């Protein structure tokens, strides 16, 4: 839980259980994230259970320009796992922490999300911190001394590890896997449409759109992370292209389908000059989008002058 985040300011506290968000009851964390990241500037009705009582709050996610998404400052309570080492500080590596270790506590305080460790390091201000972690079911303890390093223009205390929420890979039978794949595609399709809606309503920035240069950059990062991450990214790119192609924009398939529907309703072909004019407008619009996306990509990749 981020103290200055939208959820904290609305009254939500660490340990609360979200039992309803808008009209969705008993949401899982994926449902909450889907609501949050595309809902910048839109108030969400949130019901939480705290000490057996139901409390009602209104949480309005704020737009995070770095993530190009809405953020409420809350996180799912989960185990914190070491994903790798960070350059510039080898304290964790020298202490024997390894990839896959699960961090349980820092200075005696339970770790429920990666941000809690960063808060503890900032509070320690360079003093040694005591970590409790689990490896292959065995509990270990270690003391590390944080060091300061610059991250995105800010000085932060770090011990040299990259942390991620612990994940469990579940293998499903073919039929269940197909059903889950359809569900995931439907969820992400809704998310993409909500992003487009947010851009039109000017709640989200069009700079969140990624183009070919950024996709190539992310593909390299995903390939280095492993085949699973790479396949997931390619699936996301394919889904984005499919939805964009079906938008009712002239020259795209969605525009062609719309024109055919209009002709079907009129029961006659549209005038050839009308079709040519519509296609020209669609082509110009598409070129404007292409130029914007390329410029947006270069502005993210190239260092500021």
């Amino acid at each position: 839980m981020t103290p200055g985040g939208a959820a904290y300011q609305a009254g939500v506290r660490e340990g609360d259980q979200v039992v309803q968000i808008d009209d969705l009851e008993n949401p899982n964390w994926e449902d909450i994230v889907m609501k949050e990241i595309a809902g910048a500037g839109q108030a969400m009705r949130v019901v939480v259970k705290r000490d057996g009582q139901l409390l009602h709050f209104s949480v309005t996610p704020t737009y995070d320009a770095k993530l190009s998404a809405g953020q409420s400052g809350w996180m799912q309570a989960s185990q914190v796992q070491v994903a790798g080492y960070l350059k510039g500080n080898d304290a964790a590596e020298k202490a024997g922490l390894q990839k896959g270790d699960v961090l349980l506590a820092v200075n005696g305080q339970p770790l429920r999300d990666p941000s809690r460790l960063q808060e503890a390091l900032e509070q320690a201000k360079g003093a040694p911190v005591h970590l409790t972690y689990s490896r292959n079911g065995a509990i270990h303890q270690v003391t590390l001394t944080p060091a300061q390093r610059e991250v995105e223009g800010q000085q932060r205390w770090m011990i040299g590890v990259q942390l991620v929420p612990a994940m469990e890979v579940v293998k499903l039978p073919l039929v269940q896997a197909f059903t889950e794949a359809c569900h995931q595609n439907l969820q992400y399709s809704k998310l993409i449409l909500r992003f487009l809606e947010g851009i039109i309503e000017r709640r989200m920035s069009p700079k969140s759109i990624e183009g070919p240069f950024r996709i190539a950059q992310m593909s390299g990062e995903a390939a280095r992370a492993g085949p699973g991450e790479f396949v997931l990214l390619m699936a996301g790119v394919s889904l984005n292209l499919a939805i964009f192609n079906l938008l009712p924009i002239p020259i795209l398939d969605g525009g062609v389908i719309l024109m055919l529907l209009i002709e079907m309703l009129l029961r006659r072909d549209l005038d050839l000059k009308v079709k040519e004019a519509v296609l020209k407008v669609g082509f110009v619009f598409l070129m404007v989008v292409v130029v914007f996306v390329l410029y947006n990509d270069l502005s993210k990749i190239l260092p500021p002058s």
Side-chain angles (χ1 to χ4, degrees), residues 85-98:
Y85 301 118
L86 295 176
K87 295 180 180 179
N89 185 352
D90 58 357
E93 188 174 3
K94 287 182 176 179
L97 285 178
Q98 298 178 6

Side-chain angles (χ1 to χ4, degrees), residues 78-79 81 165-171:
S78 64
Q79 291 183 322
Q81 193 171 47
M167 298 182 63
E168 180 182 357
V169 178
V170 179
K171 294 184 178 181

Side-chain angles (χ1 to χ4, degrees), residues 183-228:
H183 171 72
Q184 291 291 330
N185 279 314
L186 180 60
Q187 287 286 85
Y188 283 105
S189 297
K190 292 179 180 178
L191 180 63
I192 294 169
L193 293 175
R194 289 197 65 203
F195 257 105
L196 292 174
E197 179 185 349
I199 291 174
I200 293 172
E201 294 177 352
R202 302 182 67 179
R203 294 183 291 101
M204 313 287 289
S205 173
K207 292 183 179 180
S208 60
I209 300 174
E210 308 286 11
F213 296 135
R214 278 286 294 144
I215 292 174
Q217 188 180 49
M218 291 188 297
S219 298
E221 295 171 355
R224 288 189 290 272

Side-chain angles (χ1 to χ4, degrees), residues 232-246:
L232 185 63
L233 175 64
M234 291 299 100
V237 171
S238 299
L239 185 60
N240 273 269
L241 290 176
I243 292 176
F244 182 78
N245 189 47
L246 290 175

Side-chain angles (χ1 to χ4, degrees), residues 3 36 52 90 107 175 191-192 198 222 226 253-254 302:
E36 175 186 23
D90 58 357
N107 292 336
V175 176
L191 180 63
I192 294 169
D253 287 349
L302 298 178

